[in-house]
Amino acid sequence: MRISDLLAIDDLRLTLLTGDPGREFGTVHITDLPEPGRYLGGGELVLTGLMWWHAPADSARFVAALTRAGVAALGAGRAWLGHVPDDLVAACAEAGLPLVDVPVEVSFRTLAELVAPRLAGDVRDALGRHRRLVAALAEGADLTELFRVTAAELGVTGAVLSASGEVIVGSAGDPVGLAKAYLAAPRLPAVAGEHTIFAVGRGHRAAGWALACDGDLLGRADLGYELAACVGLERGRIEEGRRVERRLAGQLVAAALTEADVSELNARLRMCGIDAAEPYAVVDVAASTQGPTQGATRGPDPATLGGQIVEELLGREVVAAAGAGGAVAVVPLRESTADGLAARLRAGVAVLSALPGTRVCAGLSGALTGAAALKGGVEEAGHARRLAEARDGGVVTSDEIYTHALLLATVPGDVRRSFSSRLLSPLLDYDRRHQSDLVRTLGIFLDRAGSWNACAELLHVHVNTVRYRIRRIEELTGRDLSTMADRVDFFLALRDTVPPR
């Protein structure tokens, strides 16, 4: 029952002094104890005759005890003091606790007796709604039908979204903005613009669903929780049915890596829903996050989480099997190309960056056809994912791995940093001491294929200045920039160093 429903009972002549009239309460509790918290369970309308009040400081202590206990609202009677103290009104306003003025002529017993049947009616309504929703589930209603029925029962409108901003069911004007608000919120539910966002389930937000309800429902959060719970039941049923598909995908990848017979691989491809002549690509994903997880104390490992994320990013059209380093998914290219698939992944990963501490590393093979190409595709995607990890996240395609960057990605980070420091530290030290620009000059000189004039033009200096700086670099490092070997060493060292500006 809401406070507004209580205020609408004419016989009670109640007045709201402060707080949200939309706040709901589930029971009525009468007390005049100065510290009643131990006898409260949360969600109550507490009625008090103010016999505990002796000085203004008493109000703050009493309200603090109610707030800690999770009380929904406070009703104050005038019989003892003849008025409701201003300090009690101020304490309730500061705590966000609705405060109702109960006239002298209205007894607490009368109030409780009038409210009890209405509360019982609320419970009966909730039970009836629950039975109807269970019946819809038992009859096999899909997510769209279940959401429609549940939202109508609760009088709530909105949408269910993936963490990357895809509308799964319902309607939303700015799904990407709502997804970012869901990912960035310190706690849920949270109000974002004209919506209230609830979490669906308790998994990592990066692979989760959000329920975006129209309007501010923080005062009626039970409605959002109930709708989110129903959606979560259907999502759990969908997930349960995908376990077999994930096992088949894992068996397909394992068979490809052990170089199984082509006919066997073709059969396994068909079991995964891909025809032998149909183009496909392989995605390898790992993900980690230290962000909010809807209460989960320990999340899945990077490969499992990566698999959950890639399934959501691609509209739950693929199934990913978790491997040692990352999750591997075989994705049919029925209505897209490998480039289109990469663009879709990048767009989704960009949205997920709104979750603090999130790092998604995805590698994508080129377009493949036939079972014989699968092993190479899995290896390509794995190399690309490792390069993404070396870049601290993002999506890397097979086109990008056939460069020096792949070689660098296979070298441990501490080894790369040590190599870079040894070669460039004399230049970095010199630049710091003399406020010079040797490291930047070196980078531009190499990028311009050793052209004195092109380097001078870009630096806006005379060509003789460039010649002087290059000689100084050679003196400080003992290297010869006229040789290809030393140029390559400097080029690679600069990949792990940010030149001073």
Side-chain angles (χ1 to χ4, degrees), residues 1 19 24 40 44 93 102 159 172 323 326 342:
M1 184 174 183
E24 293 189 344
L40 300 170
E44 299 96 341
V102 183

Side-chain angles (χ1 to χ4, degrees), residues 12 44 64 70 103 171 219 263 297 303 383 396:
L12 297 178
E44 299 96 341
S171 176
S263 60
T297 55
H383 288 317
V396 173

Side-chain angles (χ1 to χ4, degrees), residues 271-354:
M271 291 173 68
C272 291
I274 300 174
D275 188 83
E278 182 180 13
Y280 62 90
V282 179
V283 182
D284 191 319
V285 187
S288 59
T289 175
Q290 289 78 50
T293 60
Q294 283 99 270
T297 55
R298 172 174 285 184
D301 62 83
T304 301
L305 180 58
Q308 294 169 352
I309 287 175
V310 76
E311 288 179 4
E312 292 299 323
L313 290 181
L314 299 181
R316 295 157 306 286
E317 297 169 358
V318 300
V319 173
V328 178
V330 182
V331 187
L333 299 175
R334 297 188 178 102
E335 300 176 2
S336 182
T337 63
D339 289 342
L341 181 59
R344 192 172 175 185
L345 288 170
R346 287 193 177 102
V349 170
V351 177
L352 293 179
S353 65

Side-chain angles (χ1 to χ4, degrees), residues 396-419:
V396 173
T397 66
S398 60
D399 293 338
E400 300 174 69
I401 66 174
Y402 297 109
T403 69
H404 69 278
L406 177 61
L407 298 178
L408 288 179
T410 63
V411 178
D414 56 345
V415 175
R416 296 199 314 270
R417 287 188 292 272
S418 176
F419 168 74

Side-chain angles (χ1 to χ4, degrees), residues 192-246:
E194 298 180 353
H195 300 82
T196 307
I197 302 176
F198 296 81
V200 175
R202 293 177 59 83
H204 272 277
R205 290 192 197 180
W209 287 4
L211 169 64
C213 297
D214 297 332
D216 184 347
L217 286 190
L218 289 186
R220 304 166 58 196
D222 61 313
L223 299 181
Y225 284 130
E226 189 169 347
L227 181 52
C230 289
V231 174
L233 284 174
E234 180 59 17
R235 188 187 187 193
R237 188 165 69 175
I238 294 170
E239 285 294 310
E240 188 67 27
R242 295 172 72 83
R243 289 187 179 181
V244 173
E245 298 176 57
R246 291 194 184 103

